[in-house]
Amino acid sequence: MIKNALLTMTRFHPYHGQNIRLLHDNMVAYRETSFAHALTFSEKPLRPGEIFLVEIEKNERGWSGHMRIGLTQFNPADHFELPQYALPDLHNMGKSWIFAVTKSHNKVMLNEEGDTDNGDEPYQSVIDVGSRIGIMYKVNGDTAEMRFIINGEDQGPCARYIPYQGGNLHAVVDVYGTTKQVRIIQLYGVSTLQNACRDRILQLTSEDDLNKLPLPKKLKQFLRYELVQEGEDVSPARKEKIVEERTCMKCEKKAVLVTRVNDAFCKECFMVYVTHKFRAAIGKSKLIRDGESVLVGVSGGQASSCLLHLIQEGLSGRAHKKLRFKPGLVFIDEGATIGMSAEERLANCTQVLEIMEKTGFPCYLKALEQAMELEREAVTNTADQTDTASMTSVEDLTKLHRYDKAEEELRALMDSLKSVSAKEDLIKSLRHKILIDLALKKGYSKVMLGDCSTRLAVRLLTDIAQGRGAHVAMDTAFADNRCNDITIVRPIRDFSSKEVAMFNILNNVPSVFIPRITTKVYSVSIEHLTERFVTGLQAEYPSTTSNIMRTGEKLHTEKKSSSENQCAICQAPLDTDVPSSSALSAVRFSETVSRCSSVTLSIFSTDTACDGGGDKTCQSEGQKESECCGRGDGSCQSKESKLTRDEVESALCYACRLLIKDLGDVSKLPKHILDDISQRQRRTKMKSEIEDFLLDPSNTPD
Amino acid sequence: MPIKCNLCEAGAILKRPKTGDALCKNCFYFAFEEEVHKTITDANLFVRGETVAIGASGGKDSTVLAYVLKALNQRYDYGVNLVLLSVDEGITGYRDDSLETVKRNQQQYDLPLKIVSYEELYGWTMDAIVKQIGLKNNCTFCGVFRRQALDRGAILMKVDRIVTGHNADDIAETVIMNVLRGDIGRLQRCTAITTGTEGALPRSKPFKYTYEKEIVMYAYFKKLDYFSTECIYSPNAYRGFARAYIKDLEKIRPSAIIDIIHSGESLSVKKAVKLPTQGTCERCGYISSNPLCKACILLEGLNRGLPRLGIGKSHKERRKLNEMLAQKEEAGNEKTTPDNSTETTENASSEKSATGSPKQKCENCSCGQKCLSEKVEDLQLDRRKIDPTLIDF
């Protein structure tokens, strides 16, 4: 079959979008204007295994989105009415499998040496001029799978179960957005002797040597694909990469790295710069007192490893001015959330533990599932001293095994959350809860986290996208004081992830890569999507992160005094007390108006009230309540059973309500959260009973 | 098995993008209109007896807005007079076509229509501006000018309020944009349903909580006549990023658009942060947070043949102007620059008489006269970069 293809050149079909002009014997498609109406097809249907390869020849700034490519069973020869775009229009017409080529699709190293020291972007993006994008399909039984080949690399199947027998598959290219002109790269046919010669010459001669060939100018132009055809512009020269020798901005020595465009540093000056930034951040805040115990959260990742190294350095005798707090380290194993086996988890724990133990600080090991039984531990006050300063890792494993039941609960909770975004959000809250809880029990008054500015910029935007606008400031500020007794501090929040990475490389700081819930999935959580968005933008607009952080700096979160005004899950102040003209009431109204026509408003709430059994929420901790609610003594005798979804929702902030919406069964939530909520319920009830006798109803004892 | 409508017995024909509920055509209309009605009543957008101008571009949002407002005004008796107001940017092949749609709408909905054009207001069509500035930053001009043009048209029509078709997607996008740009003042303002309450004409967005997709659905099923083509000049690239991000978010979690608006509404700004105070432009009297409004600066740049004056880092352009003026002085120093607009010359002369020392040389641009530059220097055109030696104009 391929033999057939060998006989002819691959061309674009003469029927195409109205803005397309075909050049070079229909082998180049050029979009004359606009960004749409630029569909083109392969002249002939593709055969199985045949690669349809195009090279981006021109881009045009100012549009968003790039070329789209794929397969379709519509035959251009039928002159069917062409839609404006391949995505979503043509795709929606059916029988088409089309994907957008995105910047982050795949990055190809240009610089073989992997020279990370120069600040120039060492990558070529897929959507740049010169990039080659191919499409093909492979038959697999009755169906076929479509594959992308980007700059020589097979990307694996991206669409499966294509009923290839249902009709001929034409390649379709939408010369969309920034992509302005594409050329078909001939892989199979040789149209002319001239072209064959060119291919051969280009194989043997490097592009730079072409000029030296004893050939007429026109031929040389032809060799460089520059021969100008009627009405066609000469394709722009490819961007040369300029690598210049730079000197350190401080000491004029040879620079080894560039932090921002104009800031080149030698190693020594960079170290001084980083250390100073870290110490200045701590000093300026005036939050950490001499001799204070500080719990440092270590994830094993780049940023927290960097933080750990900085702390160690600052505490060591060598330091110019010694830091004077007492750190303790904690690692939280989240393996349960992605169903890791006990062995894998042990391996991860051992690795991180090794790093932590080397520092000589007290170390703690926690598992995320412990969050499921936090209150229970507090009651019995079990000596779960996972103080591993003197503990071998085998014993840790047995410790971890103790949480089998909790692990099951956690997994059940994770499974009942439908979206990855919600899972991620909940993990964050649970992790937070464990940190605070451990700090409280072990007498730490601060928790230090290794959040760098890139991370926080992503979090800020994620927060906004999840409706946490009110909590942005808390989530990204230097100090987070949502919990009354423990303050969370972020001393490296001014470091970009680039600085962190360079610091770690130059100091040989070890870090451990541990897969997380979003590691293997492609952009399905809001945070993951936001991260791609921010890093993508950062590559083009280097001030992105700092701009976002600057916005965050100007915001603040109003702290409410009463704990009843805090969200039961994320502990942030509730943001659900809104005027009638607001997003929240608009959402509520939308739900009402399209679910409960006019009569049956109550159907919805009873319908979805939790039906999960076995919830012993209020039984075990009946006596314990008084501790948390302050003066609620003797009020907790009401041992009513389950909480309804509405009751749970009332104790949550806007964003955590979204999370709960995703949850099939509210009774799966960790005990401490449910306890907290039911206790609030009782107190509200109590209050309403005695309300008539209160002189100032707004004056609550809390 | 056909899916039943959530509310009645009819077969559902669509899934609401906002809530995910399956609805039939009529129930969707009902829900859509009720929501707009609720937005209007909750925010007290309309006062009986007022005249309300609908900013009509001919696109889907404003077409649906005009249709729905007319229907609601009859159904719930708001008692407002609705009029259509369009701006003609002067973009051949785009706006002239869409204005045809507006004209048809005028007849279909039987509402009075007023069209104001850039040409009559500023003396420049967008086509002419693009010829000057090229395809980069042209959207800045269009955006700045349109805002004012709408207000001026509204004043001509003696209306009390303007409503625009901005939908929830647009607002979410703006929130993200302002976060990315670090523009705290706009970030705070952009989620307000009504802006410009003090002084200027109030502007409201009744579609603030309405999804773009639902507007399209509404227009589609009602077979409303609207114009759908992108502007022939490049779209705003940076906004495109934010737009793509919002669309991706919506795919993951459809409520994300409203969630972002909620975020925007619940943001609170530190008290210590200085926000730009809104005043009025010294030259045209339009609302502005700088002494001279952006439109006047852009216009000045156009008239002076330095179209980039109000764009990006202005000091470079000012330096260029500086040099240009210096050369002119060498050539023959008595004349003012020939390409000055009459307005500038007037201003310059009024400045002259005000200071009472016409012969005094301008220290900043050495143009041989007391020129506008000093005035501008006092006003500090660019809030971020204040370098007196370079400020000029």
Side-chain angles (χ1 to χ4, degrees):
Chain A
M1 291 221 280
I2 290 179
K3 212 175 180 183
N4 254 342
L6 282 176
L7 295 177
T8 47
M9 301 284 289
T10 318
R11 287 190 179 82
F12 287 113
H13 197 276
Y15 184 64
H16 50 72
Q18 68 192 46
N19 287 335
I20 283 291
R21 189 150 51 100
L22 296 181
L23 312 162
H24 275 294
D25 196 18
N26 290 1
M27 285 188 274
V28 171
Y30 171 74
R31 188 186 70 236
E32 288 183 300
T33 173
S34 167
F35 62 98
H37 290 293
L39 282 182
T40 55
F41 303 88
S42 61
E43 189 183 29
K44 303 202 174 62
L46 292 195
R47 281 145 184 91
E50 179 187 346
I51 299 172
F52 181 80
L53 185 66
V54 292
E55 177 174 315
I56 299 178
E57 288 207 320
K58 272 180 206 168
N59 279 334
E60 184 173 61
R61 276 187 48 126
W63 306 105
S64 55
H66 320 286
M67 181 175 109
R68 280 89 202 262
I69 188 165
L71 296 170
T72 181
Q73 279 174 339
F74 286 100
N75 187 355
D78 297 344
H79 289 245
F80 67 100
E81 198 184 321
L82 289 181
Q84 276 193 54
Y85 323 108
L87 285 178
D89 306 29
L90 181 62
H91 189 264
N92 289 348
M93 287 162 67
K95 297 196 292 180
S96 305
W97 299 266
I98 297 158
F99 289 86
V101 174
T102 59
K103 232 173 299 167
S104 49
H105 217 112
N106 127 331
K107 286 192 165 178
V108 183
M109 268 285 227
L110 276 185
N111 193 335
E112 296 296 323
E113 291 81 47
D115 185 8
T116 49
D117 289 347
N118 72 68
D120 295 359
E121 188 67 31
Y123 296 104
Q124 185 194 9
S125 165
V126 198
I127 48 127
D128 281 350
V129 168
S131 184
R132 289 185 170 186
I133 293 144
I135 186 117
M136 64 173 288
Y137 65 95
K138 273 189 176 166
V139 171
N140 195 351
D142 285 348
T143 58
E145 55 185 40
M146 179 169 87
R147 285 165 178 264
F148 274 121
I149 292 116
I150 294 178
N151 288 323
E153 252 181 79
D154 189 339
Q155 305 292 307
C158 61
R160 287 206 167 98
Y161 313 114
I162 297 173
Y164 73 101
Q165 286 152 329
N168 282 333
L169 285 166
H170 282 265
V172 50
V173 178
D174 187 356
V175 190
Y176 175 83
T178 59
T179 312
K180 183 80 171 166
Q181 176 174 316
V182 296
R183 164 191 298 277
I184 298 179
I185 302 299
Q186 300 300 333
L187 294 174
Y188 303 101
V190 175
S191 60
T192 58
L193 181 62
Q194 210 179 15
N195 281 343
C197 294
R198 172 165 65 186
D199 290 347
R200 186 70 186 143
I201 293 172
L202 287 179
Q203 268 175 20
L204 298 174
T205 323
S206 77
E207 218 170 315
D208 303 332
D209 294 336
L210 283 181
N211 263 336
K212 297 173 196 153
L213 295 177
L215 291 173
K217 194 177 160 206
K218 251 201 158 164
L219 271 183
K220 281 185 195 167
Q221 279 182 340
F222 173 76
L223 287 175
R224 273 185 252 117
Y225 289 99
E226 277 171 9
L227 198 59
V228 186
Q229 279 198 350
E230 229 189 332
E232 189 201 0
D233 304 330
V234 181
S235 65
R238 293 202 185 159
K239 234 193 267 168
E240 295 285 325
K241 224 166 83 75
I242 304 152
V243 185
E244 48 179 316
E245 191 81 357
R246 311 224 0 206
T247 52
C248 171
M249 61 184 283
K250 299 246 159 146
C251 68
E252 306 285 309
K253 269 191 237 162
K254 186 171 176 279
V256 293
L257 52 86
V258 177
T259 53
R260 280 169 303 187
V261 190
N262 290 321
D263 301 357
F265 280 107
C266 68
K267 186 177 168 183
E268 288 74 31
C269 292
F270 179 66
M271 289 305 150
V272 171
Y273 161 77
V274 170
T275 319
H276 174 77
K277 210 149 104 164
F278 169 66
R279 302 170 64 102
I282 290 185
K284 211 163 51 182
S285 71
K286 293 191 183 132
L287 278 174
I288 296 164
R289 295 181 300 273
D290 283 2
E292 193 169 5
S293 302
V294 176
L295 186 66
V296 182
V298 177
S299 69
Q302 294 276 350
S304 61
S305 303
C306 170
L307 173 66
L308 189 55
H309 191 90
L310 283 166
I311 292 175
Q312 251 187 299
E313 247 183 18
L315 289 171
S316 73
R318 290 184 287 127
H320 168 55
K321 264 176 95 182
K322 230 177 122 176
L323 291 174
R324 296 183 191 280
F325 59 87
K326 289 187 190 141
L329 312 180
V330 60
F331 169 67
I332 300 176
D333 171 29
E334 295 167 10
T337 56
I338 53 166
M340 272 190 195
S341 69
E343 290 75 36
E344 284 173 296
R345 298 180 62 178
L346 176 65
N348 287 334
C349 292
T350 331
Q351 268 184 300
V352 180
L353 210 59
E354 223 170 80
I355 296 175
M356 295 204 307
E357 277 175 343
K358 266 188 203 150
T359 60
F361 303 133
C363 305
Y364 307 94
L365 194 63
K366 284 274 177 183
L368 194 69
E369 51 263 40
Q370 281 170 285
M372 299 302 286
E373 38 189 37
L374 270 181
E375 293 294 319
R376 210 177 298 161
E377 279 176 10
V379 180
T380 51
N381 206 7
T382 38
D384 75 307
Q385 318 286 346
T386 10
D387 195 327
T388 57
S390 61
M391 207 178 272
T392 67
S393 31
V394 184
E395 274 166 301
D396 300 330
L397 179 64
T398 54
K399 288 282 178 206
L400 283 174
H401 267 305
R402 278 187 39 211
Y403 299 102
D404 270 353
K405 188 165 160 285
E407 187 181 340
E408 264 164 47
E409 279 174 24
L410 180 65
R411 282 195 188 175
L413 173 61
M414 285 295 146
D415 289 344
S416 61
L417 280 172
K418 276 170 243 136
S419 74
V420 188
S421 312
K423 287 181 194 177
E424 213 173 12
D425 208 25
L426 185 64
I427 291 174
K428 200 180 96 197
S429 295
L430 295 182
R431 187 193 300 141
H432 186 260
K433 185 81 194 164
I434 292 183
L435 285 172
I436 297 293
D437 184 68
L438 180 71
L440 274 175
K441 280 185 199 152
K442 304 286 177 187
Y444 291 96
S445 49
K446 299 268 168 9
V447 173
M448 205 177 255
L449 295 177
D451 292 319
C452 64
S453 68
T454 315
R455 177 88 279 170
L456 290 175
V458 171
R459 183 172 306 156
L460 194 153
L461 221 50
T462 311
D463 274 358
I464 286 187
Q466 292 181 326
R468 279 192 198 282
H471 311 146
V472 156
M474 269 188 176
D475 273 346
T476 58
F478 181 85
D480 176 350
N481 52 359
R482 72 181 74 179
C483 300
N484 290 323
D485 309 310
I486 311 276
T487 307
I488 296 177
V489 289
R490 307 184 174 96
I492 61 166
R493 69 186 289 274
D494 299 330
F495 289 37
S496 68
S497 57
K498 190 176 174 185
E499 282 165 350
V500 165
M502 289 189 296
F503 180 84
N504 287 354
I505 290 172
L506 293 174
N507 286 307
N508 291 320
V509 177
S511 62
V512 182
F513 172 74
I514 297 170
R516 312 159 68 94
I517 192 155
T518 50
T519 300
K520 283 183 183 167
V521 289
Y522 185 69
S523 171
V524 282
S525 87
I526 291 178
E527 186 168 349
H528 198 71
L529 175 76
T530 310
E531 190 179 334
R532 281 203 305 146
F533 173 64
V534 172
T535 46
L537 217 52
Q538 175 79 22
E540 272 180 58
Y541 304 89
S543 60
T544 303
T545 312
S546 60
N547 270 354
I548 298 176
M549 291 300 284
R550 209 150 41 86
T551 312
E553 231 124 75
K554 291 175 195 153
L555 300 172
H556 82 133
T557 308
E558 240 166 87
K559 200 164 181 304
K560 308 233 169 94
S561 52
S562 160
S563 68
E564 268 157 53
N565 284 325
Q566 284 186 349
C567 169
I569 293 185
C570 69
Q571 312 296 326
L574 287 184
D575 54 353
T576 47
D577 182 20
V578 290
S580 60
S581 169
S582 67
L584 185 59
S585 65
V587 172
R588 281 196 195 126
F589 185 74
S590 295
E591 280 167 0
T592 319
V593 83
S594 64
R595 278 178 201 158
C596 337
S597 50
S598 49
V599 220
T600 47
L601 278 165
S602 53
I603 288 178
F604 172 55
S605 55
T606 49
D607 206 284
T608 47
C610 52
D611 49 348
D615 179 27
K616 303 157 210 118
T617 315
C618 316
Q619 288 163 16
S620 54
E621 261 87 65
Q623 273 62 39
K624 192 63 203 153
E625 307 302 313
S626 52
E627 202 181 81
C628 352
C629 64
R631 283 166 232 176
D633 322 50
S635 63
C636 309
Q637 71 281 77
S638 50
K639 305 207 168 175
E640 81 269 44
S641 54
K642 288 169 266 172
L643 288 164
T644 65
R645 181 173 288 263
D646 284 356
E647 280 169 344
V648 173
E649 271 195 11
S650 69
L652 302 180
C653 68
Y654 182 93
C656 290
R657 287 183 188 186
L658 291 174
L659 196 156
I660 294 302
K661 262 184 205 157
D662 229 44
L663 185 67
D665 177 2
V666 283
S667 64
K668 286 214 172 80
L669 282 173
K671 278 180 62 57
H672 67 268
I673 293 175
L674 293 174
D675 288 350
D676 187 20
I677 296 169
S678 52
Q679 182 210 325
R680 287 187 201 189
Q681 289 293 323
R682 286 194 295 273
R683 282 196 50 83
T684 332
K685 213 165 160 190
M686 261 170 66
K687 195 181 161 195
S688 69
E689 277 168 19
I690 56 167
E691 198 159 33
D692 295 346
F693 303 95
L694 292 177
L695 296 176
D696 179 9
S698 61
N699 182 16
T700 45
D702 208 313
Chain B
M1 194 189 82
I3 301 167
K4 272 245 179 90
C5 168
N6 240 13
L7 300 179
C8 67
E9 293 302 302
I13 53 158
L14 57 86
K15 205 176 120 189
R16 282 196 76 181
K18 196 170 177 180
T19 61
D21 296 310
L23 292 183
C24 70
K25 207 195 278 186
N26 286 326
C27 288
F28 170 67
Y29 294 157
F30 166 76
F32 185 94
E33 288 157 9
E34 281 305 301
E35 282 179 33
V36 178
H37 171 59
K38 184 178 184 309
T39 313
I40 291 170
T41 48
D42 277 352
N44 299 319
L45 290 190
F46 294 149
V47 178
R48 182 170 294 277
E50 277 188 351
T51 305
V52 175
I54 303 170
S57 66
K60 59 180 179 341
D61 296 319
S62 56
T63 304
V64 174
L65 183 66
Y67 180 91
V68 170
L69 285 188
K70 188 171 162 70
L72 289 178
N73 193 23
Q74 283 167 357
R75 191 181 309 160
Y76 292 105
D77 190 26
Y78 298 143
V80 292
N81 306 315
L82 297 172
V83 294
L84 295 175
L85 175 58
S86 284
V87 177
D88 181 3
E89 292 94 342
I91 302 175
T92 324
Y94 170 65
R95 186 52 93 210
D96 41 3
D97 293 352
S98 66
L99 283 176
E100 288 307 309
T101 321
V102 178
K103 283 174 194 156
R104 280 200 303 278
N105 285 342
Q106 174 199 7
Q107 285 161 4
Q108 287 156 0
Y109 306 150
D110 189 27
L111 298 171
L113 166 71
K114 164 90 188 162
I115 299 175
V116 286
S117 75
Y118 280 9
E119 190 155 24
E120 66 183 89
L121 289 178
Y122 307 106
W124 289 81
T125 63
M126 266 318 281
D127 287 338
I129 292 174
V130 170
K131 250 181 219 150
Q132 280 256 332
I133 184 104
L135 283 173
K136 251 178 90 181
N137 296 318
N138 53 326
C139 297
T140 309
F141 285 87
C142 197
V144 169
F145 286 169
R146 187 178 314 113
R147 210 191 142 75
Q148 265 200 21
L150 213 49
D151 272 6
R152 293 197 185 179
I155 291 167
L156 287 177
M157 286 183 94
K158 297 199 174 59
V159 305
D160 305 295
R161 175 183 293 272
I162 304 173
V163 292
T164 52
H166 290 100
N167 56 42
D169 297 47
D170 295 334
I171 293 167
E173 209 175 282
T174 313
V175 171
I176 298 291
M177 286 271 292
N178 286 328
V179 170
L180 292 178
R181 295 193 311 201
D183 190 336
I184 201 80
R186 284 210 178 78
L187 183 59
Q188 223 185 3
R189 261 179 285 150
C190 70
T191 47
I193 188 157
T194 303
T195 51
T197 36
E198 64 280 329
L201 270 180
R203 276 171 181 244
S204 320
K205 306 162 190 149
F207 280 166
K208 184 183 173 192
Y209 301 114
T210 309
Y211 275 36
E212 184 174 19
K213 282 213 174 92
E214 299 204 342
I215 293 174
V216 178
M217 277 183 174
Y218 191 86
Y220 176 81
F221 286 115
K222 285 261 183 186
K223 299 197 175 63
L224 296 185
D225 178 12
Y226 71 87
F227 178 78
S228 151
T229 304
E230 305 71 31
C231 175
I232 54 166
Y233 300 125
S234 299
N236 188 333
Y238 206 72
R239 187 172 271 272
F241 288 119
R243 174 157 286 252
Y245 174 62
I246 303 268
K247 296 283 175 235
D248 289 345
L249 277 178
E250 195 190 352
K251 266 180 234 154
I252 294 177
R253 183 184 273 173
S255 72
I257 292 170
I258 290 281
D259 299 345
I260 292 172
I261 297 178
H262 171 80
S263 285
E265 284 174 352
S266 50
L267 287 176
S268 63
V269 176
K270 272 186 196 158
K271 293 206 177 67
V273 174
K274 254 196 232 156
L275 291 170
T277 45
Q278 294 210 326
T280 48
C281 171
E282 296 227 330
R283 198 181 274 188
C284 68
Y286 188 72
I287 181 168
S288 161
S289 38
N290 286 326
L292 284 181
C293 72
K294 193 78 174 167
C296 283
I297 296 174
L298 292 175
L299 200 59
E300 181 70 27
L302 282 173
N303 290 336
R304 289 241 190 182
L306 288 170
R308 303 188 54 78
L309 191 63
I311 291 168
K313 288 188 182 162
S314 37
H315 64 266
K316 276 185 201 160
E317 287 306 311
R318 289 187 190 144
R319 196 180 300 140
K320 208 189 278 172
L321 185 74
N322 224 344
E323 282 162 13
M324 204 171 88
L325 292 169
Q327 276 174 6
K328 288 242 167 70
E329 194 207 11
E330 276 171 32
N333 51 9
E334 273 313 296
K335 269 191 166 182
T336 43
T337 38
D339 58 344
N340 267 1
S341 68
T342 46
E343 200 181 1
T344 324
T345 337
E346 264 172 35
N347 261 331
S349 52
S350 71
E351 183 74 25
K352 230 190 284 176
S353 54
T355 52
S357 51
K359 292 290 174 211
Q360 188 192 340
K361 274 210 171 185
C362 171
E363 303 108 40
N364 298 306
C365 63
S366 55
C367 60
Q369 264 192 337
K370 184 83 179 169
C371 73
L372 199 64
S373 64
E374 285 204 357
K375 188 173 181 183
V376 177
E377 188 193 341
D378 296 339
L379 303 178
Q380 293 173 352
L381 255 189
D382 187 345
R383 270 174 298 135
R384 287 161 308 167
K385 274 218 160 63
I386 303 160
D387 187 349
T389 56
L390 295 175
I391 290 177
D392 180 14
F393 156 48

